[in-house]
Amino acid sequence: MKLSTQEIEQQCLADDTLAEAVRQVREAGFIILEETMDRAWCDVMREAWDGHLEGQTLGDLLRPPFIDPLAIENPWAVQIMDVMLGEDFWAKLPYHCNSTEPNWPETQVVHRDQLHLFPDLPIAMPPHMMVVNIPLVDFTEENGSTEVWPGTHLITDHEAVIDPADVGRAGGLEERASTMPSMRTNMPAGSTVVRDMRVWHRATPNRTNCRRTMMSLVYHRYFPTLGYQYKAADPLPAEIMDQLSARAQRIFRFNKQEAHGQN
């Protein structure tokens, strides 16, 4: 989906755009908002992440540029997740980066990143976890754009493995996926992807000489009767939390040193 210049500049989706994005996430399991960030922003983040991944610049992942607001509270994605997960959703810092090494020949096992909360029910429940991906390079057939199976987040009669390395348990899913339509997430650098983590997908070979770098931030629905979220995030110093906006502090509230026992 291409956004208008106004939606990019104001960092806000129009009502009809938001409605369409939510529809696509509900039906297909994901949405791609093209070129929400410009190339200069991508270049800064890619250089930082590639340096970190290669062990050349071991920067603090809790400091700039890694905690740039467009990364950790992507405004377009937040609007969608407010609807899909509820406005009290949460996440934790630091976040991650998915990358494929240059000339990587392997195709990943088809998998989903999270299982259904109630797999015995014949219909899928609303999402409890979503991931926001931001490619820092153009995603193409040549450098290994992710392959996804639209609509598979709604399938409850077959539980995929959530560890792609566990090939032995994935045979049934691989066979079933081969009979279903899939698509490649070819997109420009700086796009924003919002995906239900139950969607079947896999990484594909990178046949180029350049690393395929993509930021990955996971967000959770808040279940107030559960206490696991307090144990899910490491405490962060106050000076780091104080750098964040009020909304980001709410999203990453379980990272606070004094978070245990608070709502």
Side-chain angles (χ1 to χ4, degrees):
M1 174 184 290
K2 276 197 170 294
L3 303 183
S4 68
T5 300
Q6 183 177 23
E7 288 173 310
I8 297 294
E9 292 178 349
Q10 296 184 357
Q11 299 183 2
C12 183
L13 299 175
D15 290 345
D16 57 343
T17 303
L18 176 59
E20 175 61 17
V22 168
R23 184 190 68 80
Q24 290 194 32
V25 175
R26 284 176 173 159
E27 295 180 1
F30 65 96
I31 183 69
I32 298 173
L33 307 176
E34 294 189 359
E35 296 181 290
T36 48
M37 274 71 73
D38 61 31
R39 294 282 170 161
W41 189 92
C42 292
D43 289 344
V44 170
M45 297 300 293
R46 178 181 51 78
E47 182 178 355
W49 269 111
D50 284 353
H52 179 80
L53 294 170
E54 294 165 6
Q56 297 175 0
T57 54
L58 296 177
D60 186 344
L61 298 180
L62 298 175
R63 299 193 182 279
F66 301 105
I67 60 170
D68 185 289
L70 289 180
I72 65 172
E73 52 174 324
N74 182 295
W76 306 278
V78 164
Q79 280 189 268
I80 296 170
M81 291 188 296
D82 276 344
V83 178
M84 300 299 299
L85 295 177
E87 294 182 359
D88 215 21
F89 68 83
W90 63 280
K92 61 180 178 178
L93 293 171
Y95 60 93
H96 302 286
C97 187
N98 297 125
S99 69
T100 305
E101 298 293 325
N103 301 304
W104 184 261
E106 299 180 11
T107 298
Q108 196 178 35
V109 166
V110 180
H111 65 286
R112 58 171 38 133
D113 291 332
Q114 285 297 323
L115 303 179
H116 288 272
L117 285 178
F118 302 99
D120 53 321
L121 296 181
I123 58 174
M125 295 292 99
H128 62 286
M129 293 179 69
M130 305 197 78
V131 62
V132 174
N133 292 127
I134 302 173
L136 301 178
V137 297
D138 291 339
F139 266 36
T140 66
E141 301 280 336
E142 291 72 29
N143 70 0
S145 59
T146 308
E147 185 176 11
V148 296
W149 277 259
T152 49
H153 63 302
L154 301 176
I155 295 177
T156 62
D157 62 351
H158 192 303
E159 289 303 332
V161 295
I162 59 175
D163 181 0
D166 193 357
V167 180
R169 292 173 53 206
L173 182 57
E174 288 278 298
E175 180 179 355
R176 183 168 181 177
S178 69
T179 68
M180 301 169 63
S182 67
M183 62 170 285
R184 297 285 290 273
T185 55
N186 298 336
M187 55 186 160
S191 299
T192 293
V193 183
V194 182
R195 174 171 59 84
D196 188 317
M197 294 185 72
R198 298 170 295 182
V199 170
W200 301 3
H201 64 285
R202 67 179 173 188
T204 59
N206 181 359
R207 300 186 177 90
T208 72
N209 295 322
C210 299
R211 182 191 302 275
R212 191 221 66 176
T213 309
M214 178 174 68
M215 296 163 51
S216 180
L217 297 84
V218 174
Y219 297 86
H220 307 250
R221 180 182 294 274
Y222 178 54
F223 294 98
T225 58
L226 301 179
Y228 72 91
Q229 53 262 19
Y230 297 110
K231 301 178 181 179
D234 295 330
L236 301 179
E239 61 267 22
I240 294 176
M241 295 298 293
D242 289 344
Q243 297 178 46
L244 308 183
S245 71
R247 182 62 197 272
Q249 288 186 32
R250 183 60 186 169
I251 293 173
F252 300 101
R253 60 193 178 275
F254 297 117
N255 275 116
K256 288 186 178 181
Q257 289 181 326
E258 70 277 17
H260 187 74
Q262 292 187 351
N263 291 326

